[in-house]
Amino acid sequence: MKTILIVEDVPLNRDLLVQLLEDDYRLVIAGDGASALERVAERRPDLILMDLSLPLMDGWEATRRLKADRSLADIPVIVLSARAMRGDEERARASGCDDFLTKPIDETLLFQTLARHLGD
C-alpha cells in the first residue's frame, strides 16, 4: 500500500482528504510545512498532497526545501490549493510542485492525478 503525506492545516479539508483516501492508501498527516518536512524524513511517503497557505512554513517553501534535497526530490508533490489566481500554478511548478489541483477538490480528478503519479 502506497503512503501519502497530507499537508493541510484546515481540519475540514484534512478530514475530507482522509475520508477519500484512507481505504486505498496509508496516510500521514502534517498541519504545517515544518511538520511536513519532519514527516517526510521519518516516513518517506510515495506522494505529498501539499496545501500552499500553511502556518510556520508555507507550502511554497516546504516544497522548495524538499525538491532541493536530492534524496527526496523524486517524491511527487501535488498542490491542493484554494489559490486559483493567474500565475499561481506556474509559481507552484517553479517551486518544484509536480501537479496542481484546486479546491474544492474534484474527486475524479484527484484520483486520476494520484494514479498518474503513483502508477496505480
Side-chain angles (χ1 to χ4, degrees), residues 8 21 26 35 55 60 75 91 93 95 100-101 105-106:
E8 173 63 64
L21 302 174
R26 201 173 306 111
S35 296
W60 308 99
I75 300 172
R91 182 175 168 213
R93 289 184 185 275
S95 295
F100 189 94
L101 299 174
I105 298 165
D106 177 325

Side-chain angles (χ1 to χ4, degrees), residues 24-88:
D24 299 313
Y25 301 97
R26 201 173 306 111
L27 302 177
V28 178
I29 308 296
D32 60 73
S35 296
L37 295 176
E38 292 172 9
R39 300 297 174 283
V40 170
E42 296 166 0
R43 304 291 302 269
R44 185 117 179 32
D46 298 291
L47 183 138
I48 301 166
L49 293 174
M50 179 77 73
D51 186 21
L52 294 174
S53 299
L54 297 166
L56 301 180
M57 178 189 302
D58 64 27
W60 308 99
E61 181 63 21
T63 300
R64 277 192 290 276
R65 291 186 187 195
L66 286 166
K67 294 300 184 169
D69 184 328
R70 288 187 175 192
S71 68
L72 304 173
D74 63 326
I75 300 172
V77 176
I78 312 303
V79 168
L80 287 178
S81 181
R83 297 178 60 105
M85 303 296 287
R86 175 171 291 181
D88 282 340

